[in-house]
Amino acid sequence: MKKALLVTVLLIATILLFALPAEFSRSQNPELYKELSAKAKNNLKHLTLEQKQQYKDLLKQYPDILMNYLLAYESDSNLAEANPEDIKSNYATICALLNKKGLNYPVDFFLSYVAKQTVSDEPLTAYRNILLKDGLQNIINTTNTDLEKYHAVTLWCVSRIQFQQTSGRDQSPVDIVQKSLIGRCEEMQILLVSACRTIGLPARPAYTPWWAHTDNNHAWTEIYLDGEWHYTGDMDMAWFPDNTWFSDLVDKTVLILADGTLTTWKDEVLIKGKYDAVINSTANYTKERSRKVKIKVLNKNNVPIPNANVIPMVFNWGSLRSLINLTTDKNGYLEFTTGRGAFYLSVYTKEGKALVLIPSNEEKTIEQTIILDNTDFAGGWSTLEYPKVSGESKTQPEEYINAVNSEKQRWQEKQKIWEKEALKTKTTDDSLVIKVALACRGNYSSFWQFYQRNPNPDSNFLQFLLEGDPKLLWQAKAELLEALYENWLKMYKPEMDEEYVMSLFSPAVYYEDLPKPVNYKNGKAQLYPESFRYKFPHNREGVIKVLSRLKKKYKINSKKALSGLLPLHIMLQHKSLTAVQYKIMAVCILRANGYPSEFSRIPNLVSVFIDGDWQYVNVVKCTWEDLSKDNKTNTFELTLQIKDDKGTPIEVKEEQLTLCSYADGAFYPLNNNFEHPESGKYSGIFPVSDIWLQFGYRVSENQTKVFLQPLKPEVDDSLSLKIIAEDYPVEKKD
């Protein structure tokens, strides 16, 4: 009897814990439930049978709008990697939040900006409960207004992350607070957005894919306060919303984008995808200084072209970089909001192409009719202007500054605790081993586990760990370190240089999560399956044979493939892959056979270090890019002489000068660098293709000069080009 009563009490407690407002029920909101239910079920179709069943069980256990949303709007690749119990944990914390604070927003808005679990491409984890125990529950209990929540949560983040430029693979909020305390701007964004959503403050990621006025990009957080979206870029300067280091730069931007899911609000939606919507948030920054760009695309017969690719581009790191890929409607029309910075529009269809410069101006509306044809772009020089509007400088309250400094001190103390614990658990006095353990930061226990199983590992392997991606040491479990070491013992040779080593032994290829060991052999974890390794001759023909075997086992079929980026151990479970996944797999199998290889953004191509140089290979056609049909080398020589307007040879930076291929309206920088034999002279041997020379420099923060030149080389051509760089900035020397 007592046992039955206990079971009843626990059941009632569980029901109360997961109780939701009526708006989340099927009966109260049937249309939204129907939409999300169908989407959630469809999202499971490419998972393994075991995974499908686990997620279907969750839908049966919690047949409401919230659970259906959580499974509908996480990519199936995230679900393939995630533990269903983690989603259940996040669901429970969202229910508890609603029980305590109530539903203060429309259901679709709450789902998109409070309930949404992941922020970017980080792994899906049960972070909400962990962050609540780490101090966020206290913020929920002690704050009343959204502004109070904003101040408290940004301060909370200061003691849990500091900026450091690292690789592009995202850490989860759990990895950040428990293993690294470090991240680049996107991970600062991930932590702040996740923390805001956990306490019930609507937040979304915002970013500029590429700055227009300088080389780089940036990501930050938008937070919903007083019925409007506001931004913050630095958690330690966040007392005033909309006041950060880039506030004076917003007029220089072309597009500022944000991510959402259910977009029934007043946002300007540029792209509506399967899992998210790309929102044009530019007007939230430039206000009345925004410009409305209206595009009409026609063919040479003046007939409107529907579904034409329209790509806004800015000059960044030596090349025109795509901000977003938009398409015209059925009438060949497109409009979108921009800032006041100058930019290019690349327009492309099978009927033709065009490249148009949109200058900087103060006009509210820009109307542009673009006629496509198949003639080459004219090329030449352009001057791009970027206006500046100075914002009001706001001084943080002294009390807040003191609070920020206290939080930064807590961050320092956490680091010291990790160092102390890592040294306390050491099992050797080898200085190199200890250095690696300390570099693991909060993940030091994983390294010591590896070391216990593999005492006295090769010092070159330890050096590889130190010199490579630091996130590997923060994120890798002991089993992965062991698998990496087993692969190292198979293939490492002392004569390999650093670049060769990094491109052969790195476990991640693009920005995908770290792989898990695929199996064990003689008790040792393995990074690659034995079926990946072949005994072909180690030469260019051997590369083609390896890729041909891959082509027999896996197919590019996006309709049957999981979406997104996948680590190797997940890809191995699926025979159908997207084009990007297939390229990642191709790099993996080449590395497994001893070929240093790197992912390339150029469609179908990866680069392989062979015969002393980097060469492109087409992984779909299984052919070398620099070979013609008769198997002869397909290259040309290019020599440049660059001088300023006074006739003086100038030394340009590597990131200012690029050769690019052109495909489907976008430019893709080649993985080939110029040699610099003498002052102002640059030369190299390059593969023959539809190629563009791009050269640019920042005259000032408000002006950029760009030179574009299409090249149509023939095989064995020797081309020379003289470039006069007007107003080239001269670096002042002390």
Side-chain angles (χ1 to χ4, degrees), residues 4 31 41 49 57 176 196 228 392 399 412 439 450 474 527 558 569 608 648 659 663:
E31 290 301 318
K41 292 174 182 175
L49 291 176
D57 289 344
I176 293 169
C196 286
E228 292 184 341
E392 179 186 355
E399 180 181 349
Q412 294 283 0
F450 158 75
W474 308 342
L527 181 63
S558 58
H569 70 280
V608 182
T648 305
L659 281 182

Side-chain angles (χ1 to χ4, degrees), residues 643-711:
K643 299 181 179 181
D644 63 17
D645 44 8
K646 297 178 181 179
T648 305
I650 55 178
E651 310 295 321
V652 304
K653 298 176 182 177
E654 185 177 324
E655 63 268 19
Q656 294 176 314
L657 186 63
T658 310
L659 281 182
C660 301
S661 67
Y662 175 84
D664 300 337
F667 294 101
Y668 298 93
L670 300 179
N671 190 26
N672 301 88
N673 295 323
F674 285 91
E675 295 180 358
H676 184 34
E678 58 185 77
S679 180
K681 190 174 183 180
Y682 302 85
S683 62
I685 305 294
F686 306 101
V688 170
S689 63
D690 186 3
I691 204 167
W692 273 70
L693 172 68
Q694 303 197 26
F695 170 56
Y697 48 93
R698 312 293 179 184
V699 177
S700 68
E701 192 181 73
N702 302 322
Q703 189 182 91
T704 296
K705 297 273 190 180
V706 177
F707 177 75
L708 307 175
Q709 182 63 51
L711 303 175

Side-chain angles (χ1 to χ4, degrees), residues 443-456:
N443 195 36
Y444 58 84
S445 61
S446 292
F447 176 75
W448 285 127
Q449 290 175 35
F450 158 75
Y451 185 79
Q452 287 174 351
R453 299 174 194 170
N454 301 269
N456 303 315

